[in-house]
Amino acid sequence: MQRKRIIVDCDPGQDDAIALLMALGAPQRIDVLAVTCVAGNVPLRLTEWNARRVVELAGREDVPVHAGCGRPLLRSLRTAEHVHGETGLDGSGLPDPQMPLAGTHAVDAILAMLAAEPEGSVTLCPLGPLTNIALAMVKDPVTFARAKEIVLMGGAMDLGNVTPAAEFNFHVDPHAARIVFEFGLPITMMGLDVTHKVLVTDHRLDAVRAIGNRQAQAAHGMLEFYNRFDRDRERYGSDGAPLHDPCVIAWLLDASIFSGRDCHVGIETDSGSCMGRSVVDWWRSTDVPANAHVVSGVDEDAFFGLLEASLRAFP
Ligand code: BDR
Ligand code: CA
């Protein structure tokens, strides 16, 4: 199988960090060209700091980390320390990063990579608010159109997690999300409908700890914190916290463990109470052509098998 060449745009965040480890732990399947950071779960100075800590934990200082936008396009930034802790990566126990931040702004770095790589060869993997991705599309649509596809975490057909109607990443920067969905590249959307099926149960936490290497220890610490802090057992009545962002990497490793459907997704940017709502035409109530593959189902044991295999692969 050909290696997937990807750019991960993220706002770490424990689940972003697990996604990065999952990708960096599978170098024979996934080639991470760069990690670009955006403000989201915590402010930009922390997301880029956390991304460098995770890249170093993976022993992959050769992968550049770029800082991008420090706020959404139109709205002011809303963060999620109540889920991820003050640093965004509480529970990881990771040291300060030693590797430098790359000099180029994330938006320019994304465009430069898309210009340099063969057309149709690079997959964008956004795991946070879509500000960097939308700005790159607006700045240079011709170059952006050289990307192969976008596989993103965001949105929900069912209820939201930050408002009754909206998911966090789309709610934080709904205008960016709208630009991305209207751009025309193939999109795979991993929304809450699927991520809430991938739960960090006690049994799975134990399995991660048992792997025993440094990366798995840090992953265990992050997941334990995230599990405790996200209060999903009380909030959603579930057996553990949903592991959102790693679904994107699992899709790249083995799409056959997921199920979904092509449909049209609109992003609400007008209504106050539904700001950032993804309006998914699952039943094809309109004849508006599909602009995304919306994923709703997953074999969760197979998912955790992929995660454990990536963590085990680290020396
Ligand atoms: C998304 O919001 C963030 O808190 C997570 O990192 C994930 O990307 C889930 O709604
Ligand atoms: Ca995220």
Side-chain angles (χ1 to χ4, degrees), residues 20-301:
L20 284 172
L21 288 175
M22 204 168 170
L24 294 169
Q28 59 293 86
R29 313 273 303 281
I30 296 182
D31 182 6
V32 182
L33 301 177
V35 176
T36 56
C37 300
V38 67
N41 286 320
V42 285
L44 180 67
R45 68 184 167 76
L46 288 173
T47 61
E48 61 86 350
W49 186 67
N50 288 336
R52 288 186 286 145
R53 295 162 86 198
V54 176
V55 168
E56 276 183 9
L57 171 68
R60 293 296 308 280
E61 292 87 338
D62 57 305
V63 176
V65 176
H66 299 262
C69 297
R71 51 154 289 180
L73 296 181
L74 294 184
R75 282 152 63 81
S76 48
L77 178 64
R78 173 176 182 167
T79 52
E81 286 85 357
H82 62 290
V83 175
H84 301 274
E86 283 306 311
T87 66
L89 223 49
D90 284 21
S92 69
L94 294 176
D96 288 354
Q98 300 301 310
M99 69 181 279
L101 189 61
T104 322
H105 190 280
V107 169
D108 297 314
I110 289 168
L111 290 170
M113 283 180 274
L114 291 175
E117 299 294 331
E119 184 160 4
S121 69
V122 176
T123 297
L124 272 302
C125 298
L127 311 178
L130 288 157
T131 323
N132 288 338
I133 306 298
L135 261 192
M137 287 173 167
V138 170
K139 184 169 185 185
D140 187 347
V142 173
T143 299
F144 204 97
R146 292 171 57 82
K148 177 181 178 199
E149 59 177 345
I150 297 171
V151 183
L152 60 82
M153 191 280 133
M157 271 193 285
D158 201 343
L159 300 171
N161 61 354
V162 67
T163 74
E167 180 278 332
F168 179 81
N169 290 337
F170 288 7
H171 179 74
V172 169
D173 199 338
H175 304 94
R178 185 163 175 181
I179 289 169
V180 169
F181 276 84
E182 290 179 359
F183 187 79
L185 271 176
I187 295 177
T188 301
M189 174 178 133
M190 296 283 170
L192 300 179
D193 316 284
V194 61
T195 68
H196 274 245
K197 292 175 179 151
V198 178
L199 302 176
V200 187
T201 59
D202 292 341
H203 164 72
R204 287 171 178 149
L205 263 177
D206 291 345
V208 167
R209 184 171 42 198
I211 293 170
N213 58 24
R214 275 181 327 119
Q215 293 79 8
Q217 269 171 30
H220 178 265
M222 288 189 272
L223 290 174
E224 206 177 33
F225 178 88
Y226 181 66
N227 227 5
R228 196 162 12 104
F229 221 54
D230 204 16
R231 297 194 310 275
D232 292 285
R233 289 170 212 243
E234 300 159 37
R235 233 182 130 193
Y236 307 117
S238 61
D239 290 339
L243 207 40
H244 308 285
D245 295 338
C247 287
V248 166
I249 307 301
W251 169 268
L252 300 178
L253 290 171
D254 187 358
S256 75
I257 71 170
F258 293 95
S259 58
R261 171 182 293 194
D262 290 347
C263 24
H264 183 265
V265 179
I267 307 292
E268 178 61 55
T269 53
D270 295 326
S271 143
S273 63
C274 294
M275 187 60 92
R277 169 88 183 147
S278 43
V279 181
V280 179
D281 189 4
W282 184 260
W283 299 118
R284 301 196 179 98
S285 316
T286 70
D287 48 16
V288 184
N291 59 354
H293 183 70
V294 177
V295 177
S296 63
V298 61
D299 174 342
E300 62 211 78
D301 288 330

Side-chain angles (χ1 to χ4, degrees), residues 6-23:
I6 71 170
I7 299 171
V8 181
D9 187 72
C10 57
D11 62 336
Q14 291 90 351
D15 61 326
D16 302 73
I18 302 291
L20 284 172
L21 288 175
M22 204 168 170

